[in-house]
Amino acid sequence: MTAELAVERLNKVFTLRDGRRRTQLHAVRDVSFELTKGRTVALVGQSGSGKSTVARMIARLEEPTSGEIRLDGELAGRRGRSLARYRHDVQMVFQDPFASLNPFHSVAHHLARPLQLHHRLTGDQVQARVAELLERVNLPADFAERKPHELSGGQRQRVAIARALAPGPRVLIADEPVSMLDVSIRLGILKLLARLQREEHLAVLYITHDLATARHFSEEIMVMCQGEIVERGPSDDVILRPQADFTKKLAAAAPNPARNPRLAGLRPA
Amino acid sequence: MTTSDPVLTVRDLTVEYHGARPVTAVRGVSLELGRGEIVGLAGESGCGKSTFAYGINQLLRPPAQITGGSVVFHDRDGTDIDVLALQGKALRAYRWDKASIVFQGSMNSLNPVLRISAQLRDVLTTHRPELSRAAAEERCTELLELVGVDPGRRHSYPHELSGGMRQRVMIAMALALRPQLIIMDEPTTALDVLVQRDIIAEIQRLQRELHFAVLFITHDLPLLLEISDRIAVMKEGLVVELDTVDRIYSAPRDPYTKALLGSFPTLTGERVTDTDADTDIDIDTATGEHASAADATADAGTDAAADADGRTVEGAAR
């Protein structure tokens, strides 16, 4: 298996200004990993651990302080055409589906733009492809004419996923794709991502603070703490036999019915 | 289900939102809270759980209106208080003193231009005017220590505190008058997992020490299973199931409860297999998103109950 996307010794230092004082924040420290076709890798950590900064650097929304991002062995484009080519292959789904869609535009517009820009499709071709994309994410075709405010959070996130798929990417970065959604619909969105990953052979980076879904929806887990990856390995190893103290702490923090003495000895229905 | 020593009895509470398309957000909900009991109220966005919480404290404002039912508070000294009949001074005296609320999004419920000491003292001087300034100050310190915030931070402004600390201050404020009931509306939803763990541990410790009853509202069912004595599951304005936590966990009866219980993967349980993916997906769409679609319209003063139709039930029942 060859790596689609490789990240090598990625670093990001932010300079914070407080009046005339400047301090440096080392948000990401020497992070290296590879994403391969048809595999999901989870990046977990608490708020402020630097996981979103990693996502934003891979999506080219943030310039790394040092380190390399390679797609098929080639350095990721920085601007102009080479950046457009890179984005053709690497797409991102953001956390907040209430903020990532433009309220003035219809669903069709959101899906048509990448088709026009990346594939130079026109007229009927665009329409046909928009319908196809909606079907891919299990939304009815008539949703094309709706505006974001007419959709629920889960439906919006499906549109955001369809938009990310529009250029036909090979790598998908999903930054907390379900944390803004109701618990009961999270599983639906994650299963959708899992199916798309399988059917389109996507390389997926799933960023989350939820260890349970990280375990169930990825082959490999990387645990990030204060900008560094402190543990990585096959999902079940990391969750069921955590080595790093921080991973243990994170696992212990997840809500767990077994802690309730009233449930001692009981099995879930 | 009745409790031997109730602190609050709600009977058939009905709340309507008036508008072009009137919506009954809470439809005849009855619930009894025992003294020192933790009752979890679970449900998706828009199911009416927050409306219910606001209703029992008379915090609803038009277009919301309580159109039926009763709320009775059973005071420690044996007197019964008809909460819905309270007005003016009597209502002000009841709120916070007998029952307090930790609001959803507590991050924003503190006044940004006042130091937290001033906000804590405000609760005390309003309800306990006899308290001297020094005594109030001392009680502030005590409260902050109680919830694990360094009292040295009492002169900070809310923006100088982290989210978890602000939440602790809110809990301190809710505890200030030693209420017999605290309603917690999604108190940890916006917080990080590790911070959530600390706050939950804190709430449990305080509850054991001070014996107040808690109505804990959230859509996070695993969390409720961990902390509750009993759980009420709400859907489209109705309580579809109310039972002890062990029965909800091991033998739920309502199909919707079962669907909610099945909607989260457990950390150490069996892996959700890949083959589930295609078969389940439409069902999940039907179960969850439908309610949330209704929620999207809730902003306009309507609520989820409006979109009640059979699809959700079918999806859940499967």
Side-chain angles (χ1 to χ4, degrees), chain A:
Chain A
M1 252 190 306
T2 53
E4 300 279 318
L5 188 103
V7 167
E8 272 162 55
R9 298 185 72 85
L10 215 51
N11 277 276
K12 180 72 190 178
V13 179
F14 290 106
T15 305
L16 307 175
R17 287 194 198 122
D18 179 13
R20 291 172 60 194
R21 221 177 30 206
R22 287 174 178 224
T23 44
Q24 301 236 303
L25 177 75
H26 210 141
V28 175
R29 209 183 280 267
D30 286 335
V31 166
S32 307
F33 59 86
E34 290 180 350
L35 300 177
T36 42
K37 201 184 260 193
R39 266 172 73 86
T40 299
V41 175
L43 183 59
V44 302
Q46 65 179 133
S47 324
S49 61
K51 53 193 196 302
S52 283
T53 305
V54 170
R56 294 175 60 81
M57 285 192 284
I58 296 176
R60 280 301 196 207
L61 297 170
E62 202 85 68
E63 188 62 29
T65 307
S66 70
E68 289 177 348
I69 300 169
R70 289 175 182 274
L71 184 70
D72 294 331
E74 260 181 69
L75 276 180
R78 274 167 198 258
R79 58 181 72 83
R81 279 218 186 132
S82 68
L83 179 60
R85 256 200 323 274
Y86 177 77
R87 292 238 165 97
H88 190 110
D89 288 317
V90 181
Q91 280 288 317
M92 180 152 167
V93 176
F94 295 90
Q95 176 172 14
D96 186 355
F98 295 86
S100 63
L101 301 177
N102 186 333
F104 287 101
H105 291 303
S106 67
V107 168
H109 177 92
H110 282 96
L111 301 182
R113 287 291 289 168
L115 295 172
Q116 290 155 349
L117 288 170
H118 286 273
H119 296 290
R120 312 225 168 259
L121 297 184
T122 51
D124 292 349
Q125 290 172 307
V126 171
Q127 263 194 1
R129 184 82 181 110
V130 165
E132 220 174 282
L133 284 168
L134 285 174
E135 202 193 319
R136 295 291 293 137
V137 296
N138 283 334
L139 287 176
D142 63 348
F143 269 47
E145 293 318 311
R146 293 210 194 177
K147 297 273 173 64
H149 73 268
E150 297 172 282
L151 308 179
S152 72
Q155 289 163 346
R156 279 182 231 209
Q157 201 58 303
R158 284 172 195 268
V159 172
I161 293 169
R163 176 177 61 178
L165 292 179
R170 292 180 289 154
V171 179
L172 193 66
I173 312 296
D175 186 7
E176 301 264 20
V178 297
S179 64
M180 300 286 284
L181 307 177
D182 246 36
V183 170
S184 54
I185 60 173
R186 291 181 182 174
L187 206 54
I189 297 291
L190 290 172
K191 284 181 176 175
L192 171 69
L193 281 170
R195 177 167 64 80
L196 295 169
Q197 180 250 58
R198 206 174 54 237
E199 291 175 0
E200 319 228 337
H201 306 291
L202 295 170
V204 179
L205 180 66
Y206 170 46
I207 295 175
T208 181
H209 63 260
D210 179 13
L211 286 178
T213 59
R215 169 169 172 244
H216 288 278
F217 290 96
S218 56
E219 281 80 27
E220 189 189 335
I221 293 180
M222 303 185 290
V223 181
M224 207 164 166
C225 177
Q226 296 184 351
E228 285 179 87
I229 291 178
V230 294
E231 182 164 5
R232 68 171 86 198
S235 300
D236 277 2
D237 287 358
V238 172
I239 301 300
L240 302 177
R241 291 170 290 279
Q243 301 299 315
D245 288 342
F246 182 74
T247 316
K248 290 177 191 166
K249 215 167 117 188
L250 213 53
N256 183 0
R259 285 166 183 267
N260 192 334
R262 287 168 173 276
L263 300 180
L266 291 177
R267 289 185 61 79

Side-chain angles (χ1 to χ4, degrees), chain B residues 40-52:
Chain B
L41 183 57
E44 293 173 70
S45 312
C47 74
K49 55 191 194 301
S50 290
T51 303
F52 175 77

